[in-house]
Amino acid sequence: MKKFLDFMDNVEERILTIILPVMVIVVFMATFFRFTKLAIIPWSEELVRYLMIWLIFLGVGAGAKNNKHFTVDNLVNKMPKSTHKALFILRTAIIIGFCFVIIILSFSLIGRLQSMGQLSPSLRIPIWIIYASIPIGSTLMIIRSTQYLIRNILKENRE
């Protein structure tokens, strides 16, 4: 299991590390060419939009790996320390349940998009490929939230 998670860490980080610079380069080139009137790149906005979608959905898993998502802890901080572990487990269970619902609904959506055969306007790629980021990101969120939960429970048990 450790090898699988290490492999996922590497793949996840490499993909995210590639997507962001590609987005910056495409936006810079499109802006430069438009400003200098050398050319217009009609597909640049669409490509950057789709890369941003993939960046976000892949990034949710990377953020969950180290619990880097925004949380409001006021309620938890007002509760006694003895309840914090149970609330943490409950929060993780809610996140996992929500992600399961998103995965199920997104597979239904992707199936409908595949049957329609819709293509993106400029790039002419199947639109379901863009929407595939939803179940992939949600699956990563489940794996990473579970990983963080287990890591923290094991750490607390050692202390």
Side-chain angles (χ1 to χ4, degrees):
M1 185 66 158
K2 176 131 174 58
K3 284 184 179 183
F4 172 72
L5 292 174
D6 289 341
F7 171 76
M8 277 185 45
D9 282 345
N10 290 334
V11 169
E12 214 173 38
E13 290 171 12
R14 285 188 177 135
I15 290 172
L16 292 171
T17 304
I18 290 168
I19 290 176
L20 186 61
V22 168
M23 287 173 52
V24 170
I25 290 167
V26 170
V27 168
F28 176 78
M29 284 176 29
T31 305
F32 177 77
F33 286 151
R34 190 175 330 135
F35 180 74
T36 59
K37 296 183 172 65
L38 292 174
I40 294 176
I41 306 173
W43 47 263
S44 62
E45 181 184 343
E46 189 175 300
L47 176 63
V48 171
R49 183 181 318 123
Y50 296 156
L51 288 174
M52 175 67 80
I53 291 168
W54 274 94
L55 182 77
I56 289 167
F57 280 104
L58 292 176
V60 297
K65 177 175 59 176
N66 295 313
N67 201 31
K68 297 293 183 188
H69 290 289
F70 176 74
T71 60
V72 180
D73 294 329
N74 290 340
L75 177 64
V76 174
N77 291 337
K78 299 265 188 230
M79 304 291 273
K81 284 258 190 217
S82 59
T83 63
H84 287 199
K85 184 176 180 180
L87 290 172
F88 178 68
I89 292 170
L90 175 65
R91 182 193 78 155
T92 305
I94 291 170
I95 289 169
I96 290 170
F98 177 77
C99 288
F100 271 123
V101 170
I102 294 298
I103 290 169
I104 291 165
L105 294 174
S106 63
F107 276 129
S108 170
L109 174 65
I110 291 169
R112 281 185 269 133
L113 288 170
Q114 283 178 324
S115 67
M116 288 190 303
Q118 182 181 1
L119 301 176
S120 67
S122 296
L123 296 172
R124 309 299 297 163
I125 59 174
I127 209 73
W128 67 266
I129 292 174
I130 310 311
Y131 283 86
S133 64
I134 299 170
I136 292 171
S138 297
T139 302
L140 289 172
M141 182 76 166
I142 289 171
I143 292 168
R144 296 312 190 162
S145 294
T146 305
Q147 178 187 11
Y148 187 77
L149 175 71
I150 292 169
R151 191 178 333 133
N152 275 351
I153 288 175
L154 290 177
K155 185 172 85 173
E156 285 180 11
N157 288 341
R158 279 188 228 134
E159 293 175 353

